[in-house]
Amino acid sequence: GGAPGTTPTGTLTDLADLRRAVASVVPGLTDEQRGRLLVDEYAQDVSVEWLVRHLLHDTEHHVLDVRCGHASLARADLPEVSFRRQ
């Protein structure tokens, strides 16, 4: 494993990086790997399959937020938070 938000090649910095990482990792997961459980991270144990589905669902919402301009609303509501790459 690595730190959350990291891949074998580095840190994910945007939705395009996430798309490439998912496209390169997810298809190669075996049934056994998809069935493995993550314990003590959520209210209940979850499988890798659940995590993948949640990741894709959540990412879809982020893409829609960007397309609808909701990210600019967050910037207006939280001017003290930097939304730019450092």
Side-chain angles (χ1 to χ4, degrees):
T6 64
T7 69
T9 59
T11 301
L12 300 175
T13 58
D14 58 34
L15 291 172
D17 286 345
L18 176 62
R19 178 178 43 88
R20 284 188 292 275
V22 169
S24 69
V25 172
V26 172
L29 293 175
T30 65
D31 289 342
E32 187 272 328
Q33 289 169 320
R34 288 174 181 263
R36 289 184 185 166
L37 294 179
L38 176 63
V39 179
D40 296 330
E41 186 69 29
Y42 294 93
Q44 68 281 339
D45 298 347
V46 297
S47 67
V48 169
E49 178 70 23
W50 183 90
L51 285 170
V52 168
R53 290 176 184 270
H54 179 71
L55 169 73
L56 296 174
H57 175 82
D58 202 38
T59 303
E60 181 179 8
H61 283 281
H62 288 303
V63 169
L64 291 172
D65 286 348
V66 169
R67 287 182 180 162
C68 293
H70 295 310
S72 61
L73 296 175
R75 286 195 305 268
D77 290 343
L78 303 167
E80 70 280 6
V81 176
S82 173
F83 288 88
R84 296 181 184 260
R85 282 189 207 177
Q86 298 296 327

